[in-house]
């Protein structure tokens, strides 16, 4: 794409200057952001530098940040100054979702949700992850190319359903059927403004509302069953942990909030991880040396190189390329720039991960850059600060177990196929052809 932005100011002359602005008509900026996001943002960085302003429908006047140190400043800003981006995913998940909360309420909810996402709880889920991987891969064809993205989506959905709700059952079969079409539609609609009039039950909004009614009904039945379970206190699933947990004042979460939060975890917790795994196969097919090292290490029982590979994967093929905040303070000073009240601040995670000072030769896929080193602060696939992804450790263990299980049971064939392009699914970037590979079972 040619560079279509026009320069306003190149660099701040004195502290407190507004960032340079992309001076294209608002609808054009919207089309570029929606349809050519990565190229648009990179081209704007080249022209304006790492902090620039855009004006788009939905988020309104926004400042895009691509510099690692400034991104960190945004993530670590006081929650009195910057609150969650407005509007946000609570439009999809409901007002009881953690995405809807800020300040004290957000802190209290994060504390309440923390136990299921800590070390030992996550270790308890490893068996479920391995079982689901074996179940899904049992029917993988040998010697014929197929896309891995959908299988990965099924694995991560089944894992999150089982870890969230505990056991298998008819309600879970129902959710297993209804979540994928809902997730597809909800992702597409995530950044579209809802019309102020009733669009009818067959419109996308009508279908989302109907899904929501059915989801709540199913969850309320599961809550009723769980509350009648004499072993509720011993259960390790997230629903049970939520029902047993209490805020500092001793009050429990309301059932509607539990339902909103469960939908949040199902929605936020499976496509993201599946998309990253789809990219893992897309990359490994094209990097025989990395694959050989992974197989060798796996056979010897190690995982250091696998960890480094997952870190590099999430840098080089970032699936969630933006995290947002809203300026609540009268203004927010970022480096030398001054961002006014009411602006959106967008951290362009994909651009931060392409910063050549933090990650030399950033386009190269090279897991060795992370072997034996601490992950740099410029690595932010899970966002940062008080809103950093609550499922980061969960996703990491899940990707680790899925990869190690597949490497143990299959040989992945490598070739010099051209890289798959990136495809934006509304929230996550996925490999356009679905991360296609050819496998053979190991003898
Ligand atoms: C590779 C997989 C994943 C990626 C790349 C990812 C990425 C992200 C990002 C970028 C954010 C925004 C952070 C910010 O605003 O600073 C986020 C938030 C969140 N993620 Fe994830 N995520 C992943 C997996 C998961 C999983 C497995 C779960 C749950 C089981 C989950 C639940 C959430 C929740 C609840 C939030 C909102 C946190 C808050 O607002 O306090 N994510 N994630």
């Amino acid at each position: 794409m040619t560079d279509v932005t026009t320069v306003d100011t190149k660099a701040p002359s004195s502290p407190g200057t507004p960032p340079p602005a992309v001076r294209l008509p608002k609808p054009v900026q919207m089309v570029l952001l929606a349809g050519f996001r990565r190229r648009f943002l990179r081209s704007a960085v080249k022209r304006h530098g790492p902090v620039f302003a855009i004006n788009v429908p939905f988020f309104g006047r926004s400042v895009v940040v691509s510099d690692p140190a400034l991104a960190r400043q945004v993530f670590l800003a006081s929650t009195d100054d910057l609150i969650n981006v407005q509007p946000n995913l609570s439009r999809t998940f409901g007002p009881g979702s953690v995405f809807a909360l800020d300040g004290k309420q957000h802190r209290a909810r994060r504390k309440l949700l923390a136990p299921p996402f800590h070390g030992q709880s996550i270790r308890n889920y490893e068996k479920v992850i391995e079982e689901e991987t074996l179940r899904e891969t049992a029917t993988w064809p040998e010697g014929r190319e197929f896309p891995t993205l959908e299988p990965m989506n099924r694995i991560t959905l089944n894992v999150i359903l089982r870890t969230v709700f505990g056991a298998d059952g008819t309600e879970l079969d129902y959710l297993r059927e209804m979540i994928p079409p809902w997730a597809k539609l909800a992702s597409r609609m995530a950044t579209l403004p809802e019309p102020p009039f009733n669009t009818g039950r067959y419109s996308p909004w009508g279908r989302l509302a109907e899904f929501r009614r059915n989801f709540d009904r199913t969850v309320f039945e599961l809550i009723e069953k769980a509350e009648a379970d004499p072993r509720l206190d011993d259960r390790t699933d997230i629903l049970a942990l939520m029902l047993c947990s209490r805020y500092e004042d001793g009050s429990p979460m309301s059932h509607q909030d539990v339902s909103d939060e469960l939908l949040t975890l199902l929605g936020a917790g499976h496509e993201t991880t599946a998309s990253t795994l789809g990219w893992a196969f897309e990359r490994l097919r094209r990097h025989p040396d990395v694959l050989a090292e992974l197989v060798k290490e796996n056979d010897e029982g190690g995982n250091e190189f696998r960890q480094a590979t997952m870190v590099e994967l999430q840098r080089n093929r970032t699936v969630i390329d933006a995290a947002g905040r809203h300026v609540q303070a009268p203004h927010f000073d970022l480096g030398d720039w001054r961002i006014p009240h009411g602006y959106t601040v967008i951290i362009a995670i994909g651009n931060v991960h392409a910063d050549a000072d933090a990650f030399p030769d950033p386009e190269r896929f090279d897991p060795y850059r992370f072997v034996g080193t601490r992950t740099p602060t410029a690595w932010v696939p899970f966002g940062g600060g008080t809103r950093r992804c609550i499922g980061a450790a969960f996703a990491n263990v899940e990707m680790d177990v899925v990869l190690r299980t597949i490497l143990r049971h299959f040989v992945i064939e490598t070739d010099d196929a051209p890289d798959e392009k990136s495809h934006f699914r509304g929230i996550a970037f996925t490999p356009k052809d679905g991360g296609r590979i050819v496998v053979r079972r190991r003898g």
Side-chain angles (χ1 to χ4, degrees), residues 325-368:
R325 301 290 185 267
H326 176 88
V327 181
Q328 182 79 348
H331 58 76
F332 178 66
D333 285 332
L334 179 64
D336 283 339
W337 307 110
R338 172 155 292 183
I339 306 173
H341 170 81
Y343 267 56
T344 299
V345 182
I346 299 173
I347 294 145
I349 299 177
N351 283 359
V352 172
H353 286 168
D355 186 277
D357 292 328
F359 307 105
D361 195 1
E363 296 306 319
R364 202 177 76 235
F365 175 70
D366 177 13
Y368 290 96

Side-chain angles (χ1 to χ4, degrees), residues 116-135:
F117 293 102
H118 275 161
Q120 190 45 48
S121 306
I122 294 176
R123 291 284 144 207
N124 290 338
Y125 306 141
E126 275 198 32
K127 198 167 149 283
V128 173
I129 301 168
E130 192 171 312
E131 276 171 18
E132 289 302 331
T133 310
L134 291 173
R135 174 149 72 160

Side-chain angles (χ1 to χ4, degrees), residues 30 37 57-59 91 186-193 424 426-427:
M30 185 63 216
R37 171 135 135 202
F58 202 66
F59 292 122
R91 284 171 81 234
S187 293
R188 283 203 191 125
M189 309 298 289
T191 50
L192 286 185
F424 187 46
I427 294 178

Side-chain angles (χ1 to χ4, degrees), residues 377-428:
T377 53
W379 186 81
V380 285
F382 296 107
T386 53
R387 303 208 83 95
R388 185 175 192 266
C389 175
I390 201 167
F394 185 103
N396 187 41
V397 169
E398 184 167 14
M399 293 188 292
D400 190 56
V401 174
V402 171
L403 272 183
R404 106 182 156 206
T405 308
I406 290 175
L407 292 174
R408 191 181 303 146
H409 292 276
F410 292 92
V411 174
I412 298 171
E413 295 190 357
T414 58
D415 60 19
D416 56 2
D419 293 354
E420 284 191 32
K421 291 202 165 67
S422 201
H423 171 63
F424 187 46
R425 297 242 288 213
I427 294 178

Side-chain angles (χ1 to χ4, degrees), residues 126-156:
E126 275 198 32
K127 198 167 149 283
V128 173
I129 301 168
E130 192 171 312
E131 276 171 18
E132 289 302 331
T133 310
L134 291 173
R135 174 149 72 160
E136 179 64 38
T137 55
T139 51
W140 272 12
E142 289 188 72
R144 180 163 58 77
E145 192 179 287
F146 64 96
T148 52
L149 188 60
E150 290 320 316
M152 292 305 119
N153 261 308
R154 281 191 291 273
I155 292 173
T156 57

Side-chain angles (χ1 to χ4, degrees), residues 17 38 62 111 172 185 205 216 230 243 262 340 390 410:
T17 316
R38 290 208 160 146
S62 308
K111 209 163 155 200
L172 291 209
L185 183 62
W205 289 278
D216 282 346
L243 292 176
L262 291 177
I390 201 167
F410 292 92

Side-chain angles (χ1 to χ4, degrees), residues 75 84-85 89 93 97-102 106 109-110 113 117 156 160 163-164 238 261 264-277 314 317-325 347 349 380-396 398-399 428:
F75 282 137
N84 200 16
V85 61
L89 284 174
F93 300 134
S97 160
V98 66
F99 280 102
L101 307 178
D102 275 294
H106 179 249
R109 178 65 62 79
R110 288 283 302 224
L113 290 178
F117 293 102
T156 57
I160 196 81
T163 50
V164 160
I238 296 174
E261 209 61 284
T264 302
L265 298 177
L266 294 179
H270 87 279
E271 270 207 20
T272 40
T273 316
S275 305
T276 310
L277 283 164
Q314 291 177 85
R317 291 293 186 271
T318 304
V319 297
I320 304 288
D321 80 336
R325 301 290 185 267
I347 294 145
I349 299 177
V380 285
F382 296 107
T386 53
R387 303 208 83 95
R388 185 175 192 266
C389 175
I390 201 167
F394 185 103
N396 187 41
E398 184 167 14
M399 293 188 292

